[in-house]
């Protein structure tokens, strides 16, 4: 019996359920979630050659990208690193269609980074409204887009500005004892959520670590292997994944919402983080960044994704359960970074971030297996 190809079945489910990603629950907002899903479609299109996957990317982004290259709902002066994520699809759209509007839109997003506020060492703030803060999430949102823009349109100049984002982030968020990375760091050490001595937030949130390792493999795929920081980024990837491997749930093979607190009351196995970690492992193996000793861990984790989180509907659609809807720090009094906070956020089915990460994980894993 031919085993199911979860990548294609997930993509078909997404297309049937949400032909327009920006409508259901998003009301046309320029949201980074679409980019997570559409990067899965891009990879699937590359490996299958199925034109409908490319069309889905184009149809969803054409709602936002105007003929003059302006982007509906995007404001540069917000200096929100999340707003760059969808820009990752503009390179393939420009390359395949030759339409100038995609290049102009990418250049518009690139402009944001020229004035985006930074810490004293040059790391991008997560958002203007979160001053002097590095969040792990932001590395996924900004770094791969920035690198691809530099390589595509700026002759690969100043790549150090991309690699140093990871080096600084790891330096300030890493916990010596566990090797895990805290969700965020405040350079000023004034946020209510941070440790006043270290500036670090108090917990290891699964999805933030997932964003970070996804960003690393995506950047390492494009970064020239002779770049001076290539070995250091490879080390950071290996060290972070090794730390995560030691917290892989013994029974299910996947990861918890708060990574190091599997036994604590209220914690749960979380789909988006687990999918992101599987994606990073599978892609790391494919690119030769991880050794062959990772196959066993990867196989167990992938099997866990399917058994723990996937339920099929009567229509044959793929449902992805147990996704943390959202989590952040500050902005509201209750987003205090405590354990109680992370487990209090809503747990939902088919969150776009989770589905997108799952699609990317399945595509990497299934085509690695082939």
């Amino acid at each position: 019996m031919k085993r199911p190809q979860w990548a294609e079945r997930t993509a078909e489910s997404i297309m049937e359920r949400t032909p327009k990603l920006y409508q259901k629950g998003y009301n046309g907002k320029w949201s980074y979630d679409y980019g997570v899903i559409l990067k899965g479609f891009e990879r699937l299109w590359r490996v299958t050659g199925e034109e409908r996957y490319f069309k889905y990317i184009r149809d969803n982004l054409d709602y936002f990208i105007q003929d003059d290259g302006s982007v509906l709902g995007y404001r540069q002066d917000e200096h929100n690193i999340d707003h760059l994520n969808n820009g990752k699809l503009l390179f393939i759209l420009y390359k395949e269609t030759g339409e100038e509007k995609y290049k102009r839109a990418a250049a518009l997003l690139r402009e944001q980074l020229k004035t985006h506020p930074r810490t004293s060492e040059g790391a991008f703030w997560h958002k203007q409204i979160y001053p002097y803060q590095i969040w792990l999430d932001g590395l996924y949102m900004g770094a791969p887009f920035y690198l691809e823009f530099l390589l595509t349109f700026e002759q690969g100049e100043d790549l150090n500005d991309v690699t140093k984002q990871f080096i600084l982030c790891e330096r300030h968020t890493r916990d010596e004892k566990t090797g895990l990375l805290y969700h965020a760091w405040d350079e000023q050490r004034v946020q209510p959520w941070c440790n006043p001595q270290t500036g670090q937030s108090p917990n290891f949130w699964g999805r933030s670590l997932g964003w970070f390792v996804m960003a690393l493999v995506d950047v390492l795929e494009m970064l020239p292997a002779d770049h001076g920081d290539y070995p250091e980024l490879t080390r950071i990837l290996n060290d972070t994944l090794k730390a995560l491997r030691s917290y892989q749930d013994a029974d299910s093979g996947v990861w918890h919402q708060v990574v190091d607190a599997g036994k604590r009351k209220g914690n749960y196995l979380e789909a988006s983080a687990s999918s992101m970690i599987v994606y990073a492992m599978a892609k790391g193996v494919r690119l030769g960044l991880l050794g062959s000793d990772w196959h066993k861990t990867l196989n167990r984790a992938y099997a866990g994704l399917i058994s723990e989180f996937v339920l099929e509907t009567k229509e044959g659609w793929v449902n992805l359960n147990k996704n943390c809807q959202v989590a952040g720090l500050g902005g509201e009094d209750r987003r205090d970074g405590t354990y109680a906070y992370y487990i209090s956020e809503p747990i939902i089915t088919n969150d776009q971030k989770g589905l997108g990460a799952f699609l990317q994980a399945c595509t990497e894993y299934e085509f690695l297996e082939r």
Side-chain angles (χ1 to χ4, degrees), residues 30-39 61 80-90 109 137 139-142 144-145 211 218 360:
W30 176 248
S31 172
Y32 68 86
D33 304 49
Y34 321 137
V36 188
I37 284 189
L38 296 177
K39 281 304 281 184
L61 280 187
N80 179 344
I81 207 98
D82 290 344
H83 288 340
L84 303 182
N85 189 51
N86 300 334
K88 295 170 185 177
L89 284 307
L90 297 170
L109 298 177
D137 322 30
L139 276 294
Y140 180 79
M141 304 302 161
F145 168 80
W211 289 130
D218 287 355
Q360 292 192 52

Side-chain angles (χ1 to χ4, degrees), residues 329-352:
L329 292 159
E332 305 170 28
D333 290 341
R334 63 185 195 86
R335 298 190 351 157
D336 57 4
T338 57
Y339 174 79
Y341 162 66
Y342 284 111
I343 62 162
S344 74
E345 286 287 13
I347 304 165
I348 64 168
T349 299
N350 296 333
D351 171 74
Q352 287 191 11

Side-chain angles (χ1 to χ4, degrees), residues 26 31-34 36-37 141 205 207 211 214 271-273 275-276 320 323-327 348 350-360:
Y26 288 84
S31 172
Y32 68 86
D33 304 49
Y34 321 137
V36 188
I37 284 189
M141 304 302 161
W205 178 41
R207 187 155 74 225
W211 289 130
M214 278 183 102
S272 68
S275 297
M276 290 171 178
L320 189 73
N323 298 270
C324 169
Q325 185 170 23
V326 67
I348 64 168
N350 296 333
D351 171 74
Q352 287 191 11
K353 298 173 287 298
L355 267 179
F358 179 71
L359 175 59
Q360 292 192 52

Side-chain angles (χ1 to χ4, degrees), residues 253-283:
V254 292
W255 283 266
H256 284 87
Q257 164 76 341
V258 179
V259 172
D260 65 329
K263 303 258 188 307
R264 277 188 79 175
K265 184 180 176 184
N267 208 357
Y268 60 95
L269 299 168
E270 202 277 329
S272 68
S274 299
S275 297
M276 290 171 178
I277 296 163
V278 169
Y279 168 79
M281 281 182 191
K283 189 164 183 173

Side-chain angles (χ1 to χ4, degrees), residues 36-53:
V36 188
I37 284 189
L38 296 177
K39 281 304 281 184
F41 274 87
E42 181 189 335
R43 179 79 184 126
L44 196 52
W45 170 70
R46 287 184 190 279
V47 292
T48 64
E50 291 280 351
E51 203 52 39
R52 67 186 188 281
Y53 298 142

Side-chain angles (χ1 to χ4, degrees), residues 19 28 30 48 85 87 95 99 120 134 155 157 166 170 179 197 223 231 235 242 285 293 297 312 316 322 333 335:
W30 176 248
T48 64
N85 189 51
K95 188 177 173 205
E99 286 194 25
S120 63
I134 303 175
Q155 294 77 51
E157 287 180 20
F166 291 94
E170 192 220 22
Q197 274 73 51
L223 187 69
R235 177 204 61 78
K242 276 177 196 155
V285 169
D293 59 321
T297 306
E312 297 169 77
K322 303 188 200 172
D333 290 341
R335 298 190 351 157

